[in-house]
């Protein structure tokens, strides 16, 4: 599904150039659950942003479902992203001014799904995530675990092929963390590819494979199954 | 999608209450000011447009020279209308008009202070004043007919049909022949009653080119080329036959200018039936409206870009979820639209409350219905949409153009960079406008005070002006000594004009030190004691005395008739005499006569004009105003005494009076309006700009709460911290001062150019504005920074 070859990413300030990804290679097959681990600053998040088409790459190739997307412009990337990729963030990134229902509905609005279908799909997902009873609440009125469940609902409502999770349990206690991990595992079992960045060995054990990074490169890959 | 935009816009509005309030208050005031100014401009531009013949009516104004300079007047002789209709086929109709204020009697009841319009019988056919009862063709076709306006009819005949009723005016009976709609306020012809022009007696029976007291309107065939026609008229006026009639031998002349009726109000310098408006005021009002709206709009742009700091996460998330640039752009424009819509509703309410004040400033009489009219309700929201688009476009473009990741990670950066430069520029613009308006206001107030305090060369205090009607004129000889005996009266006289504005144009010939001269001047027929009543000083000679009447010998075919004259210093100088030399010299005006006195120059027109040559001649029969000087000690008793005297001598006649001071102040009505307008504008500008600064300072200090906490922990004082914030704004205010002062200097000078007597621009006019704005800004910013400083530093540190 994803093939990254010799991927380069550099950040430049006026005086310093930092290499985030250095000739990085990675392949993720459809239906896989991959964890990416490594110390802070090793390039995990940069990698995830590039895979999520949120950031440009400075060199190398990125094939998404066999299509070279490295040179895609913002409009094309956005188009590909909204139909294929769901995001789960450590800090949830829910919009405070929208209710649970409206937050989950948002991706469907942007993909121009009609109102009746939107209602059906949002309710379906909220039921599945067991958060339906909170649909009219605003994010600040929910616990961290509930907020992350809303965020996952929002990530999956468009039925993406790929879910990118950036330390999804980072802001949660262990009980809520486990619950979130179980949700991701369930989604993966239903066929969704999951790539997760994490610091937690415990969380990483839910995945099929752990990619360990250092200084923008893959150092080891452990297959857990 | 739109529902989603509106929803989030509304929730954001409620979430940021302070910023929303600042924006809504600012925009409502701005929009309200624009609605009122729009009403004013629309009203002024629509002046006299409601007549069906509006485009084909022209006012015939005189352009003439009797001795040297060329004079112009909106009035003309009674011959102009009928003669032009007889001579030129393209003059289809003419209407001569005259408006006077007089009393009307219904039985024994006297109704006072009504505008009586004398007009030719075709008045209601040429102009579109709608008759609600009566026939427009015959309503005033006979001398004994009178048409009432709706409100006069309601006043005189409440709950009664007025048609056929009898009213008494000037000793004659009139039968009510029509009721007409009240003339709208945007009409140069305003009246309460209309009667036939033929009631003016001699003016009607004897057509004359001169004795120009009537405003003549001509209805001209719409195929006519007006420039060519004007030339044709003036060629006719220059023909030997007409020159003989007018007595204007070359190089003197009497010409006419055809002023388009619907342009008179805004474009003519000549005052006809009422004082004109001025197209300059349309521009001034318009510019002020735009400036106020700019300040309010800038507040929105400023606060929205600053707030972008806090919205990076939201924008980023939307983009991650697939929002396109257009969608984010639309969302932000949508927020501006929602906010402006709320502001528009408030603006309408503010406008309704502001109507009385605005009427006072503008001299108009708008009512609620004008604000809630179809045009305002349709154009208002359209206008509001345009504003919201303009105010919201910058934040919308910046925020929608930011990449998802940048927005999420570095929202603070959004508010920096170009946004920072824009915000600073807008603050400079806002405060420049404020300083500009305050400086100009200071200049205008200084000049108006100067006008009030200038020594006019006579004493206008405690002088009562009593308009002389027929009855007073008939009783004048007996009345004068009786008035003098009233307690508190120190002098009495009568004259054609009051001294603050002498309109009578005339000419003299004399032989001065450098030979014969002919001089165009202003003249005033006066009675004895004029100079004494008004406290005027003589440079040489004396006032008129009783024995001067002996010179006016009308026996023996007036062969020995002489007219005694008093002149002013300027006239003496123009002839080539010193005041002393002038005494006893002969000049010719209506007749030859000696100069008996030279008055020290006094201002007999507004201070817009330099003092010109003036001639006074003894003629009590032309008097229109009775002037009574009171010593000012017991005004109430004196007025009561005069009222009793009038009631006893002329029972049934109302005792109308006003003070000379009021007449003087009326000369500067437009200056007083300008003062009020600029005061209001300057106040609104500084209020809105300060409000914006207040919001921005709140935001700046809020976003640096943590920094302030750290500084406080490290021992910073309140002063040093507020200095940190004040410093960056002071620079902007200084730039605003530098930008505003040259503009204010230019505008002030431009405005003052219109006055012959004026103040000099002083440094403090500008320093005052700059200092005031600086103090307000420093106070606003210090307040906000001190507020954050006073938070517990631990709380500040936790804020992020």
């Amino acid at each position: 599904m994803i093939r990254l070859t010799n991927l380069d990413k550099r950040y430049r300030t006026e005086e310093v150039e930092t290499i985030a990804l250095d000739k990085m290679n990675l392949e993720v097959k459809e239906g896989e659950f991959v964890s990416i681990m490594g110390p802070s600053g090793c390039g995990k998040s940069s990698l995830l942003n590039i895979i999520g088409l949120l950031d440009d790459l400075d060199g190398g190739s990125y094939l998404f479902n066999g299509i070279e997307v490295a040179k895609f412009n913002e409009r094309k990337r956005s188009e590909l992203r909204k139909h294929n990729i769901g995001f789960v963030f450590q800090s949830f990134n829910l919009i405070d001014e929208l209710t649970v229902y409206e937050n989950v509905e948002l991706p469907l609005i942007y993909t121009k799904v009609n109102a009746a279908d939107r209602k059906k799909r949002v309710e379906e997902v909220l039921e599945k995530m067991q958060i339906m009873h909170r649909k009219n609440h605003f994010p600040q009125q929910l616990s961290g675990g509930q907020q992350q469940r809303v965020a996952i609902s929002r990530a999956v409502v468009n039925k993406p092929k790929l879910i990118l999770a950036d330390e999804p349990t980072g802001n949660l206690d262990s009980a809520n963390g486990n619950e979130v991990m179980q949700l991701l595992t369930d989604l993966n079992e239903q066929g969704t590819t999951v790539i997760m960045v994490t610091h937690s060995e415990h969380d990483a054990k839910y995945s099929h494979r752990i990619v360990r990074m250092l200084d923008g490169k893959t150092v080891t890959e452990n297959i857990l199954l | 999608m739109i529902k989603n935009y509106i929803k989030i816009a509304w929730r954001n509005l409620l979430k940021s209450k302070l910023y929303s309030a600042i924006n809504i208050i600012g925009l409502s005031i701005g929009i309200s000011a624009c609605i009122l100014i729009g009403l004013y401009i629309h009203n002024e531009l629509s002046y006299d447009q409601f007549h069906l013949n509006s485009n084909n009516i022209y006012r015939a104004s005189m352009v003439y020279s009797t001795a040297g300079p060329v004079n112009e007047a909106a009035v003309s002789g009674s011959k102009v209308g009928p003669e032009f209709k007889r001579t030129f086929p393209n003059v289809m109709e003419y209407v001569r008009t005259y408006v006077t204020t007089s009393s009307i009697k219904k039985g024994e009841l006297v109704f006072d202070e009504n505008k009586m319009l004398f007009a030719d019988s075709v008045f209601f056919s040429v102009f579109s004043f709608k008759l609600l009862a009566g026939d427009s063709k015959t309503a005033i076709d006979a001398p004994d007919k009178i048409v009432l306006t709706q409100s006069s009819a309601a006043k005189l005949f409440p709950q009664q049909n007025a048609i056929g009723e009898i009213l008494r005016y000037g000793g004659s009976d009139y039968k009510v022949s029509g009721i007409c709609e009240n003339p709208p306020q945007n009409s140069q012809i305003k009246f309460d009653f209309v009667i036939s022009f033929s009631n003016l007696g001699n003016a009607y029976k004897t057509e004359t080119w001169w004795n120009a007291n009537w405003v003549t309107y001509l209805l001209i065939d719409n195929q006519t080329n007006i420039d060519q026609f004007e030339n044709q008229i003036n060629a006719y006026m220059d023909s030997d036959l007409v020159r003989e009639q007018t007595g204007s031998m070359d190089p003197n002349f009497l010409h006419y200018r055809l002023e388009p009726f619907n342009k008179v109000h805004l474009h003519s310098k000549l005052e006809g039936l009422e004082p004109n408006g001025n197209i300059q005021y349309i521009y001034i009002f318009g510019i002020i409206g735009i400036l106020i709206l700019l300040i309010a709009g800038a507040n929105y742009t400023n606060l929205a870009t600053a707030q972008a700091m806090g919205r990076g996460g939201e924008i980023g998330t939307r983009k991650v979820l697939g929002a396109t640039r257009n969608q984010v752009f639309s969302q932000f424009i949508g927020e501006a639209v929602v906010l402006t819509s709320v502001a528009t509703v408030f603006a309408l309410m503010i406008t309704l409350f502001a109507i009385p004040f605005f009427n006072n400033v503008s001299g108009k009489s708008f009512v609620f219905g004008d604000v809630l009219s179809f045009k305002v309700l349709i154009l208002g929201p359209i206008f509001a949409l345009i504003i919201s688009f303009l105010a919201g476009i910058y934040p919308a473009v910046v925020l929608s153009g930011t990449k998802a990741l940048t927005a999420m990670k570095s929202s603070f950066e959004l508010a920096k960079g170009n946004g920072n430069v824009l915000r600073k520029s807008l603050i400079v613009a806002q405060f420049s406008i404020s300083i500009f308006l305050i400086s100009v206001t200071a200049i205008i107030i200084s000049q108006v005070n100067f006008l009030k305090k200038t020594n006019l060369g006579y004493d206008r205090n405690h002088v009562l002006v009593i308009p002389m009607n027929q009855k007073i004129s008939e009783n004048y000889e007996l009345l004068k000594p009786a008035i003098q005996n009233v307690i508190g009266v120190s002098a009495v006289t009568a004259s054609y004009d009051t001294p603050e504005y002498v309109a009578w144009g005339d000419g003299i010939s004399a032989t001065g030190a450098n030979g014969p001269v002919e001089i165009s001047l202003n003249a005033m027929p006066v009675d004895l004691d004029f100079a004494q009543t008004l406290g005027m000083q003589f440079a040489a000679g004396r006032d008129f005395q009783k024995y001067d009447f002996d010179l006016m010998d009308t026996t023996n075919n007036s062969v020995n008739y002489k007219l005694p004259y008093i002149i002013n210093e300027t006239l003496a100088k123009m002839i080539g005499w010193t005041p002393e030399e002038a005494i006893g010299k002969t000049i010719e005006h209506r007749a030859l006569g000696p100069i008996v006195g030279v008055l020290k120059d006094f201002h007999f027109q507004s201070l817009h004009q330099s003092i010109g040559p003036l001639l006074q001649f003894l003629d009590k029969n032309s008097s229109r105003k009775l002037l009574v000087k009171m010593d000012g000690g017991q005004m109430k008793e004196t007025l009561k005494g005069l009222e009793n005297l009038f009631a006893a001598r002329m029972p049934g006649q109302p005792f109308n009076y006003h003070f000379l001071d009021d007449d003087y102040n009326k000369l500067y009505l437009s200056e007083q309006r300008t003062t009020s307008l600029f005061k209001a504008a300057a106040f609104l500008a500084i209020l809105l700009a300060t409000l914006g600064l207040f919001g921005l300072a709140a935001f700046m200090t809020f976003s640096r709460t943590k920094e302030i906490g750290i500084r406080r922990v490290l021992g910073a004082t309140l002063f040093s911290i507020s200095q940190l914030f004040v410093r960056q704004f002071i620079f902007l205010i200084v730039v605003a001062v530098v930008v505003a002062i040259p503009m204010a200097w230019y505008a002030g000078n431009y405005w003052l150019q219109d006055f012959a007597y004026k103040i000099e621009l002083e440094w403090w006019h500008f320093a005052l504005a700059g200092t005031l704005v600086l103090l307000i800004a420093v106070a606003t910013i210090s307040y906000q920074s001190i507020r954050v400083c006073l938070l517990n530093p631990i709380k500040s540190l936790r804020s992020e």
Side-chain angles (χ1 to χ4, degrees):
Chain A
M1 182 180 203
I2 287 169
R3 182 193 292 264
L4 305 173
T5 317
N6 290 333
L7 200 66
D8 277 337
K9 178 71 191 172
R10 291 183 182 83
Y11 294 108
R12 290 172 197 91
T13 59
E14 276 171 21
E15 290 169 3
V16 190
E17 185 181 83
T18 315
I19 298 174
L21 297 172
D22 186 12
K23 307 265 183 257
M24 168 96 188
N25 294 302
L26 178 70
E27 191 173 351
V28 179
K29 295 204 167 64
E30 201 162 333
E32 253 195 303
F33 186 161
V34 177
S35 289
I36 298 170
M37 299 191 73
S40 291
C42 71
K44 305 184 296 284
S45 293
S46 300
L47 178 66
L48 205 66
N49 289 334
I50 286 173
I51 296 175
L53 300 166
L54 294 175
D55 209 353
D56 301 319
L57 44 127
D58 293 318
S61 151
Y62 175 9
L63 295 179
F64 187 94
N65 276 342
I67 301 164
E68 178 59 70
V69 296
K71 297 274 183 306
F72 269 23
N73 61 21
E74 178 55 32
R75 195 179 56 78
K76 276 185 166 174
R77 275 198 247 162
S78 167
E79 213 34 52
L80 190 69
R81 190 167 64 220
K82 67 184 173 191
H83 288 109
N84 296 287
I85 307 174
F87 292 84
V88 179
F89 303 94
Q90 177 182 357
S91 51
F92 326 132
N93 282 349
L94 296 175
I95 295 176
D96 289 342
E97 287 73 27
L98 297 181
T99 61
V100 165
Y101 181 96
E102 290 159 353
N103 261 293
V104 177
E105 186 191 24
L106 207 53
L108 300 176
I109 291 178
Y110 290 135
T111 43
K112 299 194 173 128
V113 174
N114 68 49
D117 284 350
R118 281 207 306 263
K119 188 166 185 291
K120 206 174 124 205
R121 276 163 69 176
V122 172
E123 286 179 353
E124 215 174 83
V125 172
L126 290 178
E127 286 288 359
K128 202 164 140 191
M129 298 286 165
Q130 296 172 2
I131 196 86
M132 187 63 180
H133 61 294
R134 294 285 199 168
K135 71 169 185 175
N136 291 324
H137 286 69
F138 285 92
Q140 311 89 293
Q141 298 169 311
L142 305 179
S143 71
Q146 287 171 327
Q147 288 194 44
Q148 194 60 300
R149 261 192 281 157
V150 178
I152 295 173
S153 308
R154 189 178 63 183
V156 301
V157 73
N158 240 343
K159 298 180 180 156
K161 294 186 181 75
L162 173 65
I163 285 187
L164 299 177
D166 194 352
E167 296 193 42
T169 62
N171 283 0
L172 302 176
D173 58 30
S174 60
N176 278 313
N178 287 341
E179 211 173 287
V180 165
M181 285 317 299
Q182 195 51 55
L183 283 172
L184 289 175
T185 310
D186 293 348
L187 286 168
N188 177 246
E189 281 168 2
Q190 286 153 25
T192 313
T193 311
V194 179
I195 301 176
M196 173 177 75
V197 163
T198 183
H199 280 294
S200 158
E201 291 290 346
H202 171 265
D203 289 354
K205 283 180 187 150
Y206 284 87
S207 57
H208 305 155
R209 177 157 61 109
I210 301 176
V211 174
R212 294 186 193 271
M213 287 179 70
L214 186 67
D215 296 338
K217 289 179 179 164
T218 310
V219 277
T220 57
E221 286 197 31
N222 311 75
I223 296 170
L224 300 175
L225 283 176
Chain B
M1 184 79 80
I2 287 173
K3 203 173 130 197
N4 186 276
Y5 294 155
I6 293 174
K7 197 155 52 187
I8 196 149
W10 180 249
R11 288 179 191 161
N12 260 319
L13 203 102
L14 295 178
K15 187 180 159 198
S16 326
K17 290 196 179 65
L18 174 70
Y19 307 125
S20 303
I22 288 174
N23 277 328
I24 289 172
I25 293 172
L27 282 174
S28 336
I29 292 175
I31 295 171
S32 173
C34 280
I35 292 177
L36 287 168
I37 286 169
L39 280 176
Y40 173 86
I41 292 177
H42 178 257
N43 177 279
E44 286 285 286
L45 294 178
S46 69
Y47 232 84
D48 298 313
Q49 304 286 357
F50 62 94
H51 299 283
L52 292 175
N53 290 324
S54 166
N55 291 326
N56 301 324
I57 302 173
Y58 292 82
R59 185 171 78 174
S61 308
M62 288 204 298
V63 184
Y64 64 98
S65 173
T66 50
V70 176
N71 300 306
E72 288 187 61
V75 285
S76 49
S78 62
K79 188 164 185 164
V80 179
E83 177 74 358
F84 286 4
K85 190 182 175 193
R86 287 188 292 262
T87 313
F88 305 106
N90 33 2
V91 174
M92 296 156 74
E93 278 306 345
Y94 64 88
V95 181
R96 293 163 297 179
T97 56
Y98 178 67
V99 174
T100 182
T101 308
S102 39
S103 328
I104 283 260
K105 271 174 127 181
K106 177 196 163 195
E108 286 311 303
L109 289 173
V110 180
F111 294 88
D112 226 3
E113 291 293 321
N114 298 301
K115 278 197 179 120
M116 175 66 76
L117 169 69
F118 294 76
D120 281 305
S121 60
V122 290
F123 177 74
F124 286 104
S125 311
V126 171
F127 296 100
S128 307
F129 295 106
K130 197 174 164 196
L131 277 179
L132 303 169
D135 179 359
S136 63
K137 290 199 174 64
T138 60
I140 48 168
D141 66 348
D144 60 348
K145 289 183 171 179
I146 187 164
V147 171
L148 278 58
T149 59
Q150 251 178 315
S151 45
S152 305
K155 192 164 97 181
L156 268 65
F157 303 100
Q159 294 158 348
Q160 187 188 340
N161 183 4
I163 297 287
E165 295 293 329
I166 301 294
L167 291 172
R168 198 162 175 76
Y169 167 71
S172 308
D173 283 343
Y174 292 83
K175 187 189 268 187
V176 177
S177 56
I179 310 287
C180 117
E181 273 184 357
N182 293 333
Q185 58 164 314
N186 57 354
S187 168
Q188 66 180 274
I189 307 174
K190 293 192 178 82
F191 52 87
D192 299 303
F193 303 93
V194 192
I195 57 175
S196 166
F197 193 76
S198 60
N199 288 299
L200 284 167
N202 283 343
Y204 180 73
K205 285 178 207 137
T206 319
E207 291 177 2
T208 58
W209 288 110
W210 296 104
N211 295 327
N213 293 311
W214 333 113
V215 177
T216 304
Y217 297 101
L218 304 175
L219 177 65
I220 295 176
D221 178 58
N222 62 7
Q223 303 297 322
T224 308
N225 176 321
I226 292 301
D227 290 341
Q228 282 175 10
F229 183 45
E230 225 173 53
N231 292 337
Q232 207 182 333
I233 286 177
N234 293 331
Y236 175 72
M237 293 308 294
D238 288 341
S239 66
D240 291 344
L241 180 74
V242 181
R243 272 187 188 277
E244 209 164 293
Q245 291 171 10
T246 60
S248 302
M249 294 309 168
D250 203 30
N252 294 338
F253 60 85
L254 172 59
H255 285 170
Y256 291 91
R257 202 149 55 84
L258 300 177
E259 296 182 281
F261 172 64
N262 50 21
K263 295 235 160 65
V264 162
H265 179 71
L266 285 179
H267 297 274
S268 177
K269 286 181 186 157
L270 308 175
E271 183 175 323
L273 293 180
E274 65 165 18
N276 290 325
N278 187 339
I279 192 76
Q280 299 273 12
Y281 281 83
I282 301 285
Y283 299 139
I284 292 177
F285 267 68
I287 290 170
I288 282 182
I290 291 169
L291 290 183
I292 290 178
L293 201 61
L294 270 181
I295 293 183
N299 276 350
Y300 181 84
T301 311
N302 256 349
L303 289 176
T305 43
Q307 273 180 281
M309 279 189 202
R311 298 188 64 181
E314 177 206 330
I315 298 154
T317 307
R318 283 178 181 274
K319 291 213 154 192
V320 168
L321 297 178
T324 60
R325 185 179 181 149
N326 280 347
Q327 284 165 332
V328 176
F329 179 84
S330 307
Q331 184 196 326
F332 279 90
I333 288 292
E335 289 188 16
V337 171
V338 168
L339 194 115
T340 318
S341 305
V342 175
T344 307
V345 173
F346 280 105
L348 281 173
M349 292 195 273
I350 295 175
T351 309
L352 292 176
F353 282 110
I355 285 181
F357 171 76
F358 186 71
N359 282 343
N360 201 13
V361 173
S362 65
K364 298 278 174 194
S365 28
F366 292 116
V367 291
F368 279 16
D370 293 320
V371 177
L372 300 175
S373 68
F374 180 71
K375 271 185 194 158
V376 173
L377 294 180
I378 292 293
L379 290 177
I382 293 178
F383 182 63
L385 274 181
I386 296 173
I387 297 166
S388 50
F389 192 78
L390 292 178
I393 195 156
Y394 180 78
V397 165
V398 172
L399 295 172
S400 64
T402 313
K403 284 185 179 170
L405 211 56
T406 321
M408 285 170 90
K409 281 191 173 166
S410 48
S411 55
F412 188 73
E413 296 304 313
L414 288 180
K416 285 184 166 179
N418 288 337
N420 214 358
V421 172
L422 178 86
R423 268 204 310 284
K424 284 181 178 169
S425 315
L426 288 177
I427 291 175
V428 169
Q430 286 182 315
F431 282 92
S432 300
I433 293 171
S434 304
I435 294 165
F436 169 80
L437 288 173
I438 295 172
S439 300
V440 174
T441 308
I443 294 167
I444 294 175
I445 291 176
S446 297
Q447 174 66 12
V448 169
N449 283 340
F450 170 79
L451 297 175
K452 282 184 184 158
K453 287 184 185 154
T454 296
N455 181 1
L456 300 173
Y458 63 90
D459 182 6
R460 63 177 195 271
N461 293 316
H462 308 135
V463 178
L464 214 59
V465 180
I466 303 169
M468 291 173 75
N469 56 27
Q470 204 180 343
K471 202 92 177 174
I472 297 177
S473 300
E474 284 165 12
N475 285 292
Y476 178 65
E477 288 299 331
L478 295 171
L479 208 53
K480 187 175 176 181
I483 294 173
Q484 256 159 347
N485 286 334
V486 172
I487 295 169
V489 171
S490 53
V492 184
T493 188
S495 63
Y496 181 82
D497 279 320
T498 40
E500 90 290 347
Y501 191 74
V502 176
W504 181 308
D506 221 317
I508 60 147
S509 48
T511 305
N514 304 318
V517 284
E518 290 203 335
I519 296 170
S520 280
L521 43 66
N522 287 94
M524 58 187 315
V526 296
D527 184 26
L528 299 177
D529 309 322
F530 185 80
Q532 186 205 337
T533 307
L534 291 154
M536 289 170 178
Q537 305 287 317
F538 281 89
R542 59 169 174 83
D543 201 352
F544 291 124
Q545 300 297 333
K546 242 183 196 160
Y547 54 79
D548 286 328
F549 283 111
D550 299 341
L551 289 170
M552 297 152 78
D553 179 6
T554 49
T555 58
N556 207 6
N557 269 346
S558 301
V559 285
N560 294 319
Y561 183 91
K562 284 200 169 61
L563 199 52
Y565 298 108
I566 290 175
I567 63 174
N568 70 350
E569 287 173 302
T570 301
L571 178 54
K573 199 172 167 193
M574 283 173 82
I575 300 172
W577 296 322
T578 64
E580 290 74 20
E581 284 169 355
I583 302 303
K585 296 275 189 341
T586 301
I587 57 172
E588 184 172 3
H589 165 239
R590 289 177 170 183
L592 282 170
I595 294 170
V596 299
V598 177
L599 277 174
K600 281 193 175 171
D601 277 345
F602 69 92
H603 291 279
F604 59 86
Q605 280 176 341
S606 88
L607 297 184
H608 286 284
Q609 277 112 23
S610 311
I611 297 177
L614 180 78
L615 175 80
Q616 291 186 344
F617 57 96
L618 199 51
D619 174 9
K620 62 176 111 182
N621 296 329
S622 301
S623 299
R624 300 188 303 177
K625 313 273 171 69
L626 192 64
L627 305 175
V628 179
K629 171 76 180 176
M630 301 189 291
D631 56 25
Q634 323 142 49
M635 297 274 277
K636 253 189 178 170
E637 290 78 1
T638 310
L639 284 170
K640 190 76 201 152
L642 287 169
E643 199 177 341
N644 290 340
L645 174 71
F646 272 71
R649 295 290 174 101
M650 294 169 293
Q653 286 289 314
F655 175 58
N656 293 324
Y657 67 87
H658 58 268
F659 287 92
L660 184 57
D661 216 22
D662 299 334
D663 283 338
Y664 179 74
N665 287 337
K666 269 187 201 160
L667 285 180
Y668 304 108
L669 207 60
S670 74
E671 282 74 17
Q672 279 157 15
R673 276 189 195 141
T674 313
T675 313
S676 311
L677 175 71
F678 267 83
K679 273 187 195 166
F683 172 74
L684 288 184
I686 190 69
L687 174 78
L688 294 182
T690 307
L691 212 58
L693 189 65
F694 183 83
L696 205 57
F699 198 88
M700 293 296 174
T701 46
F702 173 74
S703 63
R704 290 172 73 177
T705 305
K706 189 171 180 181
E707 177 197 334
I708 292 174
I710 296 171
R711 284 177 186 269
R712 289 270 286 142
V713 169
L714 295 176
T717 59
L718 283 185
F719 178 73
S720 70
I721 288 176
S722 67
Q723 210 186 17
L724 198 72
F725 290 94
V726 167
R727 212 166 32 205
Q728 52 177 318
F729 283 101
I730 283 188
F731 172 72
L732 300 182
I733 307 288
V734 170
V735 175
V737 169
V738 171
V739 172
I741 286 179
M743 293 195 299
W745 185 85
Y746 177 80
N749 251 337
Y750 182 79
W751 185 75
L752 286 171
Q753 264 174 18
D754 208 20
F755 294 89
Y757 303 90
K758 58 194 169 197
I759 53 160
E760 289 294 321
L761 292 186
E762 305 272 357
W763 63 269
W764 65 264
H765 288 135
F766 309 103
L768 173 90
T771 314
L772 184 71
V773 167
L774 200 62
L775 285 178
I776 291 175
V778 168
T780 309
I781 299 156
S782 303
Y783 169 79
Q784 289 293 9
S785 50
I786 289 171
R787 212 170 52 95
V788 176
C789 282
L790 292 178
L791 288 176
N792 180 343
I794 301 302
K795 252 189 188 169
S796 312
L797 287 172
R798 268 199 215 124
S799 80
E800 289 188 14

